[in-house]
Amino acid sequence: MKVLLTGASGGVGTRLREMLPQHYPHLRLSDLAAPKDLRADEEFVAADLSDMVQVERAVDGVDGIIHLGAHSIEGPWETILQANIAGTYNIFEAARRQGVKRVVFASSNHVVGFYPRGQRIGTDVTALPDTRYGVSKACGEALGALYAYKYGLRVLCLRIGNFGDVPLDVRRLSIWLKPEDLVQLIQIGLEHPDLRHEIFYGASANTRGWWDNSAAYRYGYKPSGDSETMLQAALDGQAKLAPDPVSDFFQGGPFCSQEFSADFEALRKEL
Ligand code: 15L
């Protein structure tokens, strides 16, 4: 199976470059610019995702796409619109035109950032994005559904929590995703015979998890990580953060408090 990894030069992409080749030896990498440490045995195609011609070149001849490429935090509308919304449309549309069978889309927990912490939610709740970035990921999920139901692509959207080796603070104890667990989720997306269109949370088996990830478990997901085993690291990280009532109340954390100008007390009472 030939697989394209977009966003290969970013933080998550860099880690996946190390981990994916043992499962997918025919891996093509793409990003705006090549990783500085690109090896001779790695294939790289530069692409600005907002340009369909470049995207079609990157997608040419692959069977599956892992689409990470995006502006991965909050940003100005024009940036989000081009990099994330137009970029993700171009990926799905190029996949359809070229007969690519599977797309794994890196969505984000920020699609549902305005749910209060502690509220257990599944993937069937109304989107409550906490940023323009979160809106772009909700839009990517909608594009995934369109291309699955209308054009027959097989699509897995992963609402990724926080990917890394350790949970960085108390919020991340609930949403942490161990790198090996992401690889497992990607394999389900690229290979599971029954998959048509699903949304999973990209989270490990965290003791303090907020999300009902039963859809992923139905497909055989067996996460190996639990952030609770690194509680102290998270508490140490938390100790460096200033208290922030809005951030501390909502699942999306600082993405919620950025630019926040609503009546927090009224909102908190309603929820
Ligand atoms: C995300 O979606 C971001 O891409 C990442 O940088 C983290 O901020 C993560 O969410 C998070 O919520 O911790």
Side-chain angles (χ1 to χ4, degrees), residues 7-85:
S9 304
V12 180
T14 298
R15 192 63 184 274
L16 289 182
R17 269 175 64 211
E18 294 165 17
M19 302 175 79
L20 287 177
Q22 53 179 301
H23 305 286
Y24 305 104
H26 305 291
L27 186 67
R28 177 185 295 159
L29 311 174
S30 180
D31 209 309
L32 282 168
K36 288 191 179 59
D37 57 348
L38 189 73
R39 298 188 311 268
D41 65 340
E42 289 182 302
E43 181 188 353
F44 179 82
V45 177
D48 176 343
L49 298 178
S50 66
D51 181 333
M52 183 57 123
V53 174
Q54 296 184 39
V55 173
E56 286 220 68
R57 208 177 298 137
V59 165
D60 183 37
V62 304
D63 308 297
I65 301 173
I66 306 163
H67 177 41
L68 305 181
H71 184 80
S72 65
I73 52 171
E74 180 60 315
W77 176 245
E78 203 45 46
T79 304
I80 297 288
L81 181 62
Q82 292 309 322
N84 296 13
I85 297 182

Side-chain angles (χ1 to χ4, degrees), residues 157-199:
C157 299
L158 297 174
R159 283 186 188 161
I160 296 175
N162 192 251
F163 172 94
D165 290 319
V166 288
L168 300 173
D169 52 31
V170 167
R171 173 175 162 266
R172 266 64 168 259
L173 285 170
S174 300
I175 68 169
W176 180 62
L177 176 60
K178 182 176 166 176
E180 287 76 7
D181 291 341
L182 176 57
V183 171
Q184 213 188 114
L185 290 167
I186 288 171
Q187 286 182 278
I188 293 172
L190 292 179
E191 296 174 42
H192 200 292
D194 301 335
L195 183 105
R196 287 208 149 271
H197 167 258
E198 295 288 347
I199 301 173

Side-chain angles (χ1 to χ4, degrees), residues 5 37 39 100 124 126 151 153 179 222 230 244 251 253 263:
L5 175 69
D37 57 348
R39 298 188 311 268
V100 177
D124 54 347
T126 303
Y151 304 114
L153 266 75
K222 289 193 181 61
M230 289 173 285
D244 173 342
Q251 295 192 6
D263 181 343

